[in-house]
DNA sequence: CTTAGTGCAAAGCTTTTGCAATCCC
DNA sequence: GGGATTGCAAAAGCTTTGCACTAAG
């Protein structure tokens, strides 16, 4: 999680202006673990930034991904989600409530090299998505059964 | 890849009718390695089934996934892709030409159990997407440099 | 025959774009 | 001041839905 000054520096170094909207969007994204999509971020920010527009959120998320301050997730939903943690790490989505959580790093170091050999691709990135039932939903189901 | 009779059996056993459109869509999907999206399938089928509609393709793909005859992929594009191979296997997409290929099974057996322990989720499924440059695009790039 | 399915067109969603007003630097 | 950015509204692309007609079983 970078400070406002650091984010400003990264944006400017890549030729982008550091606007209040962009800083606010990065700030919101870096302070949540909910892996929000554009609309979730918009609704969280509007109360504090009444003139914020959804289009600006989309444009900013695009820029944040471009400059390496965020990554885009595709958890199998209609919309993209975003994560300010740009390290490659697996994500897990609850098929019951839809929440998305991080999965601590797993030792999949050999994955890329194995895939490169078997497919002939130059592998440059990866995304691992797991699906299941989160502890809270699991608990709810058990209670229902009693 | 199942025969028409087998597909008919699966559909009926789950309470769905086996229409010519559904069999044709499964047949097309099971005979390609392109991991097509709904529109790609539609354009492939229309010449042979002039009355085929895109809406039917969407509805059928939904049913095929429901009855376990196909799986939906989310490779980071605007649209969903589909695969008649329902075994869990990684996919790789070329960032240059967009093609999507299968990756032969990698030994990630410990992945699910590791994730279950660290997150508390009951893990039921996984998707692994890799990104890179396919051999053909890689070759093109080299030629350009000469 | 009865009920599910097809196909068309319209609607719904997410995301992108055009453009005048505004703000950053 | 000049050029990038915002924010609105409209457009675009993928997917779903309503409904009359048709076909499967």
């Amino acid at each position: 999680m970078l400070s406002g000054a650091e984010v400003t520096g990264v944006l400017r170094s890549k030729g982008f202006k550091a606007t209040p909207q962009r800083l606010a969007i990065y700030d919101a994204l870096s302070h949540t673990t909910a892996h929000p999509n554009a609309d979730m971020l918009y609704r969280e920010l509007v109360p504090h930034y009444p003139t914020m527009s959804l289009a600006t959120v989309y444009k900013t998320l695009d820029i944040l991904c471009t400059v390496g301050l965020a990554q885009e997730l595709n958890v199998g939903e209609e919309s993209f989600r975003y994560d300010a943690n740009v390290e490659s790490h697996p994500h897990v989505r609850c098929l019951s409530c839809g929440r998305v959580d991080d999965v601590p790093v797993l030792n999949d170091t050999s994955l890329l090299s194995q895939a490169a050999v078997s497919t002939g691709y130059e592998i440059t990135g990866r995304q691992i998505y797991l699906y299941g039932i989160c502890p809270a939903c699991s608990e709810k189901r058990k209670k229902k059964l009693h």
Side-chain angles (χ1 to χ4, degrees), chain A residues 65-83:
Chain A
C65 289
T66 300
V67 304
L69 287 173
Q71 66 170 316
E72 195 175 63
L73 306 180
N74 226 310
V75 208
E77 299 168 316
E78 330 71 51
S79 58
F80 292 97
R81 286 171 177 259
Y82 295 87
D83 192 339

Side-chain angles (χ1 to χ4, degrees), chain A residues 20-37:
Chain A
Q21 289 89 336
R22 289 177 181 168
L23 297 180
I25 291 167
Y26 176 81
D27 187 64
L29 185 59
S30 66
H31 282 86
T32 179
T33 58
H35 305 85
N37 59 27

Side-chain angles (χ1 to χ4, degrees), chain A residues 112-124:
Chain A
L112 274 64
S113 54
Q114 279 185 64
V117 170
S118 57
T119 65
Y121 273 65
E122 295 171 24
I123 309 285
T124 59

Side-chain angles (χ1 to χ4, degrees), chain A residues 41-104:
Chain A
L41 280 169
Y42 172 68
R43 285 203 294 256
E44 185 184 328
L45 289 165
V46 162
H48 305 284
Y49 299 80
T51 76
M52 177 75 70
S53 87
L54 187 52
T56 298
V57 175
Y58 276 108
K59 289 170 189 167
T60 297
L61 288 171
D62 188 39
I63 290 172
L64 291 180
C65 289
T66 300
V67 304
L69 287 173
Q71 66 170 316
E72 195 175 63
L73 306 180
N74 226 310
V75 208
E77 299 168 316
E78 330 71 51
S79 58
F80 292 97
R81 286 171 177 259
Y82 295 87
D83 192 339
N85 175 359
V86 293
E87 278 177 48
S88 178
H89 62 285
H91 292 89
V92 58
R93 177 163 68 93
C94 177
L95 297 173
S96 174
C97 66
R99 64 174 292 151
V100 174
D101 285 298
D102 292 313
V103 179

